């Protein structure tokens, strides 16, 4: 089951996540500001860009998120997201997907789960990112 | 934008031969935001002459040089993506988010992909004592549409440059602004003079002049099936190669073992992106007939949630359609659905509430549609979803294939069953379970959706001639 919400509510969440994906892909501060709430935090799966150990770090606010995304644009290549599924619950959205690409020439491939927490205005206030590498990918599971 | 009233020929921005201009209309405001010069046969002849002259040397350049050029263009697009996005928002009404996230970067993806494949592309093949060589076809005319203006131009320019062709681009006169930025990027990347040329103008004049020109070896066209047929007719007397990426009316089969709430919500929403103005949009949703009511309720909820409005507003997901002509056509087809007896579930004719100006359309869902209705057969090119019932898998395949088009398709449900059905659908691509676009994979249509393939390494083949050198290994 993908949702405990009424269809109309999950459709609203889909609209939000579409605009979030556009904002994420473009790293545009205005687009990000329109979907992120006060005190936004992104809990990333690695400690820092040079250390793949999954000890985590926190990016706070639009400006830091733009910096993180710009860093990725400068250092990552051929990034591909596949098999995206989104699951909606009241004030929470879960994504599952695989991500692959090259980080400064080294190939990466991970299975990922992201958990988004929404505030009372349905803006994203937390993005918790979990990656598991390397990932066995079972393509085409039924949805 | 200083170069919008000029053409790019022989490596320079030049003054058009005629003073004719055409206003560029922002579809969200119905106001002119710029004006573009309209080319003539004389302008086309200059551009083709420049391309022909450049072809002789460019076709002989080492692969490494062309890889570097493609990478430089991709980097240039990245640097100017914001400008490209602004131009696209103004000229065709794409929401700014979509323009920044996909419309503009799509161009970069095609150039980067071409560079990747070019580095190891097999231009020669040994067959016993013979050598088979793939050579650039020559001068290519490119006629591109307004709906994905940078994507559609890039997926032609990138492979043509990759294999060593010279070219003349005619973008849509409705959406000419982003092509000017792209041309500046190509110039700055160091593409040799004459290899790439830009002539703005309408299809009747510039498109026709390119299609009939005796020194053009190939025409690659993306647009309507009607216009594509005209291009092919015009190109026939000089026996040009013609590739066409044309219309679509793609079926989206929802199998009974799919998660309806998730899949229909997703696909009804996705169909509306770019205001339904994508040739590969899944506009015919096929659902088990017994579950029509359930499917239509989910689809209606999905499209009713969509934020329709000013494309420059960051809260907008769906903007206007591109023009008054397109708005009129969408309205007429929605009315035809009502008149032919389809059930209007949501949307309908007229503008959405609160939007009195601009070419805005109500996202619309029709249920209980039969495949003989106009809304099921004609490409609407607007945010209009039609839901058709099917009895079993064979019936779904029959309905999906009962279309003059064959561009794309979508199937959701258990993987093995969906994959088996995909092999029975007569289209150039099928997306299984929500799979997104793949810039490495070929894109193109069966039937009246076109000829030839674009994207990735498969796209190179269209721009190549094949030569057999017999006795090469004696």
């Amino acid at each position: 089951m993908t949702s405990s919400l009424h269809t109309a509510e999950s459709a609203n969440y889909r609209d939000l996540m579409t605009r979030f994906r556009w904002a994420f892909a473009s790293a545009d501060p205005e687009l990000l500001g329109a979907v992120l709430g006060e005190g936004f935090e992104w809990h990333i799966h690695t400690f820092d860009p040079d250390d793949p150990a999954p000890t985590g770090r926190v990016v706070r606010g639009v400006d830091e998120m733009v910096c993180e995304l710009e860093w990725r644009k400068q250092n990552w290549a051929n990034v591909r997201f596949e098999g995206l599924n989104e699951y909606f619950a009241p004030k929470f959205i879960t994504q599952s997907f695989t991500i692959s690409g090259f980080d400064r020439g080294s190939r990466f491939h991970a299975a990922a789960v992201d958990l988004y927490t929404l505030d009372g205005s349905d803006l994203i206030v937390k993005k918790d990112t979990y990656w598991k590498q390397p990932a066995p990918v079972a393509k085409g599971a039924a949805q | 934008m200083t170069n919008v009233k000029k053409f790019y020929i022989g490596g320079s921005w030049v003054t058009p031969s005629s003073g004719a201009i055409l206003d560029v209309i922002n579809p969200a405001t119905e106001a002119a935001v710029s004006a573009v010069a309209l080319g003539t046969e004389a302008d086309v002849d200059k551009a083709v002459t420049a391309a022909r002259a450049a072809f002789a040397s460019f076709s002989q350049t080492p692969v490494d040089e062309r890889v570097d050029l493609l990478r430089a263009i991709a980097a240039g697009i990245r640097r100017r993506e914001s400008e490209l996005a602004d131009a696209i928002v103004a000229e065709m009404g794409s929401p700014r988010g979509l323009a920044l996230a996909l419309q503009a970067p799509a161009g970069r993806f095609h150039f980067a992909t071409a560079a990747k494949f070019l580095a190891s592309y097999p231009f020669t093949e040994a067959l016993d004592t013979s050598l088979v060589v793939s050579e650039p076809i020559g001068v290519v005319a490119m006629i591109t549409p307004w709906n994905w203006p940078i994507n559609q131009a890039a997926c032609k320019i990138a492979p043509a440059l990759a294999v060593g062709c010279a070219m003349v681009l005619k973008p849509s006169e409705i959406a000419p602004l982003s092509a000017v930025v792209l041309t500046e990027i190509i110039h700055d990347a160091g593409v040799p003079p004459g290899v790439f040329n830009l002539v703005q103008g309408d299809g009747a004049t510039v498109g026709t002049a390119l299609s009939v020109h005796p020194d053009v070896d190939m025409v690659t066209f993306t647009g309507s099936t009607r216009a594509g047929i005209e291009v092919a007719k015009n190109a026939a007397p000089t026996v040009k190669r013609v590739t066409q990426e044309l219309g679509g009316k793609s079926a989206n089969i929802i199998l009974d073992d799919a998660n309806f709430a998730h899949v229909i919500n997703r696909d009804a929403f996705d169909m509306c992106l770019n205001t339904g103005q994508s040739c590969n949009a899944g506009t015919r949703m096929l659902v088990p007939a017994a579950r029509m009511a359930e499917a239509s309720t989910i689809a209606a909820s999905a499209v009713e949630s969509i934020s329709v409005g000013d494309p420059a507003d960051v809260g907008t997901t769906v903007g206007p359609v591109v023009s008054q002509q397109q708005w009129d056509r969408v309205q007429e087809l929605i009315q035809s659905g009502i008149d032919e007896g389809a059930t209007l579930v949501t949307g309908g004719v007229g503008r959405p509430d609160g939007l009195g100006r601009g070419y805005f359309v109500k996202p619309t869902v029709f249920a209980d549609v039969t495949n003989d209705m106009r809304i099921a057969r004609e490409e609407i090119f607007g945010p209009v979803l039609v839901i058709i019932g099917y009895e079993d898998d064979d019936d779904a395949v029959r309905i999906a294939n009962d279309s003059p088009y064959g561009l794309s398709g979508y199937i959701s449900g258990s993987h093995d069953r969906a994959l088996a059905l995909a092999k029975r659908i007569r289209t150039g691509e099928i997306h299984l379970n929500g799979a997104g676009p793949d810039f490495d994979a070929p894109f193109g249509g069966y039937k009246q959706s076109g000829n030839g393939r674009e994207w990735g390494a498969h796209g190179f083949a269209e721009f190549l001639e094949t030569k057999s050198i017999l006795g090469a290994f004696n």
Side-chain angles (χ1 to χ4, degrees):
Chain A
M1 189 62 189
T2 58
S3 174
S4 60
L5 299 176
H6 293 298
T7 303
E9 289 175 288
S10 58
N12 286 333
Y13 283 14
R14 184 171 299 285
D15 188 87
L16 171 71
M17 293 309 291
T18 295
R19 287 186 285 118
F20 174 75
R21 281 196 293 277
W22 291 350
F24 189 90
S26 62
D28 181 89
E30 190 183 3
L31 297 182
L32 286 165
V35 293
L36 303 182
E38 186 79 25
F40 168 78
E41 292 184 350
W42 179 10
H43 293 233
I44 293 184
H45 55 284
T46 54
F47 178 69
D48 69 40
D50 295 317
D51 181 359
T55 47
R57 65 193 165 94
V58 181
V59 167
R60 293 183 171 84
V62 170
D63 291 345
E64 287 189 20
M65 187 165 191
V66 169
C67 288
E68 173 69 20
L69 296 174
E70 289 296 340
W71 184 90
R72 290 187 178 190
K73 282 191 175 187
Q74 295 298 320
N75 292 281
W76 289 10
N78 297 331
V79 178
R80 183 175 292 180
F81 296 90
E82 294 182 283
L84 174 69
N85 277 303
E86 287 175 341
Y87 306 86
F88 306 124
K91 302 302 177 190
F92 292 98
I93 298 168
T94 309
Q95 286 180 333
S96 62
F97 55 92
T98 63
I99 182 171
S100 59
F102 292 85
D103 179 352
R104 291 160 289 178
S106 299
R107 180 167 170 75
F108 66 90
H109 188 171
V113 174
D114 279 11
L115 174 65
Y116 297 80
T117 305
L118 310 187
D119 66 11
S121 302
D122 283 347
L123 295 173
I124 299 165
V125 288
K126 192 189 290 183
K127 171 179 167 72
D128 287 301
T129 298
Y130 306 92
W131 283 24
K132 191 72 175 176
Q133 301 174 260
V137 181
K139 280 194 158 185
Q143 297 176 42
Chain B
M1 191 174 283
T2 57
N3 290 321
V4 72
K5 291 181 185 169
K6 295 181 179 177
F7 300 151
Y8 182 77
I9 297 175
S12 302
W13 290 97
V14 301
T15 302
S17 63
S18 127
I21 60 170
L22 178 71
D23 281 344
V24 179
I25 305 296
N26 181 332
T29 63
E30 305 182 31
V33 290
S34 186
V36 64
L38 294 174
T40 64
E41 283 182 35
D43 296 311
V44 167
D45 195 54
K46 285 179 193 167
V48 172
T49 300
R52 176 57 62 191
F55 174 69
S57 57
F58 188 66
S59 60
Q60 303 303 311
T61 51
V63 163
D64 288 351
E65 282 184 25
R66 301 202 298 273
V67 168
D68 289 344
L69 276 179
L70 294 165
R71 288 178 175 156
I73 295 169
I77 291 174
R78 168 161 277 176
R79 281 193 296 273
R80 299 186 65 181
E81 268 173 6
S82 182
E83 271 180 86
L84 284 165
D86 289 343
I88 293 167
V89 171
E91 68 191 1
M92 58 76 63
S94 169
R96 188 157 164 272
L98 178 65
L100 277 165
L102 195 51
Q103 285 266 18
R108 168 164 53 89
F109 300 154
H110 285 300
F111 283 101
T113 299
K116 178 179 70 175
F117 285 118
L118 176 59
S120 58
Y121 191 79
F123 286 98
T124 59
E125 178 187 8
L127 289 177
D128 195 13
T129 61
S130 298
L131 177 65
V132 179
V133 182
S134 296
E135 299 179 336
I137 193 168
V139 174
V140 181
M142 302 172 169
I143 303 172
T144 56
W146 47 261
N147 61 330
W148 287 87
I150 289 301
N151 176 68
Q152 304 292 2
C155 73
K156 299 179 189 302
I157 297 167
L161 281 177
V163 304
C165 290
M167 64 213 74
V168 181
L169 171 68
K170 188 207 89 65
S172 167
E173 69 275 23
I174 295 173
L177 306 180
S178 54
V180 173
V181 181
L182 180 62
T183 300
E184 292 170 354
I185 292 167
I186 290 170
H187 175 86
D188 291 344
V191 172
V195 171
F196 175 84
N197 304 273
L198 171 75
V199 178
Q200 306 271 16
D202 60 28
T205 307
V206 176
T208 300
L210 285 166
S211 303
V212 303
H213 200 291
D215 227 9
V216 168
D217 300 292
M218 169 182 172
V219 184
T220 174
F221 172 85
T222 298
S224 70
T225 296
R226 178 199 58 75
I229 291 168
E230 286 305 307
V231 167
K233 285 179 180 175
N234 288 330
T238 45
V239 200
K240 291 176 173 57
R241 183 178 299 170
V242 177
T243 63
Q244 303 151 307
E245 199 266 273
L246 308 175
K249 191 72 188 179
S250 300
N252 178 6
I253 300 174
I254 313 296
L255 297 175
D256 56 9
D257 58 5
N259 182 318
F260 269 38
H262 173 67
V263 167
I264 294 175
N265 193 334
R266 176 195 70 200
D267 292 352
F269 191 92
D270 286 353
M271 189 281 306
C272 291
L273 296 185
N274 209 36
T275 322
Q277 300 171 124
S278 298
C279 48
N280 59 344
T283 51
R284 282 189 301 152
M285 181 176 282
L286 276 51
V287 303
R291 299 179 69 179
M292 175 64 72
E294 178 189 359
S296 60
T297 298
I298 298 167
S301 292
V303 305
E304 286 167 0
S305 75
I306 293 174
S307 329
V308 183
D310 182 355
D313 185 332
V314 293
T316 291
T317 305
V318 167
V321 295
V322 73
S323 64
Q324 180 72 55
Q325 182 183 19
Q326 188 59 25
W327 192 87
D328 291 342
R329 173 173 168 74
V330 173
Q331 300 302 310
E332 194 262 329
L333 279 162
I334 292 174
Q335 187 60 51
S336 82
I338 297 168
D339 295 342
E340 289 189 282
T343 301
L344 179 65
V345 182
T346 191
V349 295
R351 287 181 169 82
D353 292 342
L355 294 170
R357 191 175 185 198
Y359 309 126
F360 293 98
V361 173
K362 294 177 185 172
T364 296
V365 176
F366 281 107
D368 306 310
V369 175
T370 56
N371 205 44
D372 58 347
M373 294 179 182
R374 285 184 64 202
I375 53 173
R377 303 205 72 77
E378 297 184 25
E379 185 176 43
I380 299 174
F381 239 49
V384 181
L385 177 68
V386 303
I387 307 180
I388 302 169
Y390 67 83
E391 297 302 325
D392 55 26
D393 287 5
D394 288 344
D395 196 35
V397 169
R398 180 191 63 76
I399 296 169
N401 285 333
D402 180 15
S403 170
Y405 297 113
L407 185 57
S408 190
Y410 305 79
I411 305 176
S412 289
S414 57
H415 177 72
D416 290 349
R417 188 174 162 203
L419 182 57
L421 290 188
K423 294 174 181 174
R424 299 171 61 192
I425 307 294
R426 299 280 296 166
T427 62
E429 65 172 20
I430 297 279
H431 299 250
L432 296 187
N433 287 314
D438 184 345
F439 289 87
D440 291 359
F443 182 90
Y446 286 26
K447 299 190 278 187
Q448 291 183 30
S449 287
N451 288 298
R453 293 294 178 269
E454 299 181 317
W455 299 28
H458 285 266
F460 288 10
E462 307 296 343
F463 297 90
L464 291 168
E465 284 284 18
T466 303
K467 176 185 288 176
S468 296
I469 304 176
L470 311 180
F473 298 115
N474 281 341

